[in-house]
Amino acid sequence: AAPAMKQDTGAKPLPFYKLFCASAFSASFAEICTLPFDTGKVRLQLQGNTSGPASALKYRGLIGTVATIAKEEGPAALWKGWVPGLHRQCLYGGLRIGLYDPVKNAVSSVIDGGSGGSETSFATKVIAALATGGIGIAIANPTDLVKVRLQAQGRDASASAKPKYPGAIAAYKIIAKEEGVTGLW
């Protein structure tokens, strides 16, 4: 087999803001498409393993859980947590991918000797990926917490009961007030 030849298309790398926006948009689109399954997963995880009979389980399997939520709470309940889900994807996805090239270049200048003509080492790529993923999730973690808390709120049996978290912004405020700002992490 012939060695792979690197093609130079002459295209300049996208600036950070364009990479960030493209990544954030793509990740947000995926979030909206997959959120019903994520909501079902969260409900299944919260249900856990009960020590009682299997017939006592409310949710059975991912598809059954999604169907039960849609039937009992309405189809819109499958998208509970969509606002903080988009917050998360914009922050995490945007930062993780948008920062990758600048961080990789900075790490490469130290590890690979900064020679522009050489290939980027595997170690440089791993360090850059770990750093940008870590930065992204450290900043986006509160959004994930709020998303899961909103998804976990099922319709209460009593119609008069109000959910603890009426929306994403209120959830951020309530958690910060009751658990302290560090409670978001």
Side-chain angles (χ1 to χ4, degrees):
M5 303 222 23
K6 187 175 182 180
Q7 260 188 328
D8 183 10
T9 62
K12 293 189 319 187
L14 289 176
F16 171 75
Y17 77 94
K18 287 185 177 181
L19 271 175
F20 181 92
C21 290
S23 173
F25 177 80
S26 300
S28 295
F29 180 77
E31 179 76 13
I32 292 298
C33 293
T34 61
L35 192 59
F37 299 109
D38 191 50
T39 300
K41 176 200 71 157
V42 167
R43 297 284 183 90
L44 280 168
Q45 289 172 328
L46 291 174
Q47 174 177 264
N49 294 328
T50 60
S51 58
S55 61
L57 295 176
K58 181 175 185 174
Y59 303 121
R60 295 179 178 278
L62 184 59
I63 302 301
T65 301
V66 168
T68 300
I69 294 168
K71 181 179 174 189
E72 292 181 359
E73 301 174 40
L78 294 169
W79 280 271
K80 282 185 179 180
W82 72 272
V83 171
L86 295 183
H87 293 164
R88 178 189 189 279
Q89 294 306 336
C90 286
L91 288 171
Y92 179 63
L95 289 172
R96 180 175 49 99
I97 294 174
L99 287 176
Y100 178 76
D101 279 336
V103 169
K104 180 182 77 173
N105 293 338
V107 172
S108 180
S109 69
V110 173
I111 292 181
D112 301 328
S115 58
S118 67
E119 288 291 318
T120 304
S121 69
F122 179 71
T124 294
K125 292 175 183 177
V126 169
I127 291 168
L130 290 170
T132 57
I135 291 166
I137 201 61
I139 292 170
N141 193 69
T143 63
D144 209 27
L145 174 72
V146 168
K147 177 181 132 182
V148 169
R149 295 224 182 149
L150 288 171
Q151 288 174 312
Q153 292 185 141
R155 179 181 287 175
D156 194 312
S158 133
S160 64
K162 291 185 178 180
K164 180 173 183 174
Y165 308 111
I169 302 302
Y172 290 119
K173 291 177 183 177
I174 291 167
I175 294 166
K177 182 179 177 185
E178 292 180 358
E179 302 173 36
V181 174
T182 58
L184 290 164
W185 279 270

